[in-house]
Amino acid sequence: MSLPHAILTALLEKPSSGLELTRRFDRSIGYFWSATHQQIYRELGKLEADGLIRTLPAEQSARGQKKSYEVLPAGRAELARWSAAAQDPKPLRDALLLRLRAAAVVGTAGIQDDLRRHLELHERQLAEYREIEERDFPPGRDGAQDRLRHLVLRAGIDLETFWTRWLEHALEEFAELPDGA
């Protein structure tokens, strides 16, 4: 359900047309939260119908002029609510990265505590993966099926190792932020 939040974040950063949003997704937000042109336009319609965004008045009346959108106070409040809410980590499409991006425009309330919680979860998952590796893949167990299964497990270990290191770094960054950032 984070596409609307990605759009709200992008629009808070800069009011944009649907086409401009698509281009911005391709260049930045899309690296961690992808969306097609059609998904963005469909979501813009829903956000406008829900009173979270509005179409900016056209500078000049022209047929076929692209509509630009901006976030309304209700949309900002929804994004702030969502970015402060706790979420469990999601494989491949991690909303935490999007929430950090949103926090840059709506404030960091709740994010640091959730970073600590994520770190604990990833540390536990990493410990579990390492226990499985020790138990199920002792030295000498190198048949083709075992090697492929181990390869999958190694991907999990490597991903959890990455996340624990990144979360530790993120918490160090938060410790250096000025109060109220």
Side-chain angles (χ1 to χ4, degrees), residues 64-177:
Q65 182 177 356
K66 62 183 176 182
K67 294 196 281 188
S68 287
Y69 300 89
E70 71 176 355
V71 177
L72 294 170
R76 179 180 280 276
E78 166 54 22
L79 187 58
R81 180 208 62 76
W82 177 79
S83 72
Q87 291 185 336
D88 291 336
K90 306 273 189 256
L92 302 177
R93 227 179 167 181
D94 200 317
L96 179 61
L97 297 178
L98 182 56
R99 290 177 54 233
L100 283 173
R101 179 84 175 245
V105 293
V106 297
T108 60
I111 297 287
Q112 192 170 9
D113 289 339
D114 208 31
L115 286 172
R116 283 189 198 99
R117 190 176 72 81
H118 275 247
L119 179 57
E120 290 173 11
L121 291 169
H122 284 287
E123 286 172 336
R124 271 190 259 152
Q125 188 65 60
L126 179 57
E128 183 178 330
Y129 285 165
R130 286 185 172 151
E131 287 173 15
I132 292 168
E133 183 179 43
E134 186 176 330
R135 180 190 69 218
D136 294 349
F137 300 100
R141 192 165 180 187
D142 59 358
Q145 290 181 348
D146 288 328
R147 290 176 72 176
L148 292 175
R149 289 183 184 123
H150 194 195
L151 187 61
V152 173
L153 179 61
R154 283 300 320 168
I157 290 170
D158 291 346
L159 285 170
E160 295 303 331
T161 299
F162 162 78
W163 280 113
T164 56
R165 288 180 182 158
W166 182 85
L167 287 160
E168 289 166 349
H169 175 74
L171 287 165
E172 291 169 6
E173 289 288 328
F174 263 81
E176 295 178 18
L177 291 176

Side-chain angles (χ1 to χ4, degrees), residues 5-43:
H5 300 103
I7 291 172
L8 288 170
T9 299
L11 289 175
L12 276 171
E13 289 172 344
K14 180 183 176 194
S16 305
S17 69
L19 181 58
E20 291 166 338
L21 281 172
T22 299
R23 289 180 181 147
R24 289 173 60 205
F25 267 67
D26 288 345
R27 290 189 316 263
S28 61
I29 291 175
Y31 289 123
F32 55 91
W33 201 271
S34 62
T36 67
H37 187 73
Q38 293 81 8
Q39 289 171 317
I40 290 171
Y41 273 95
R42 188 170 41 248
E43 201 59 53

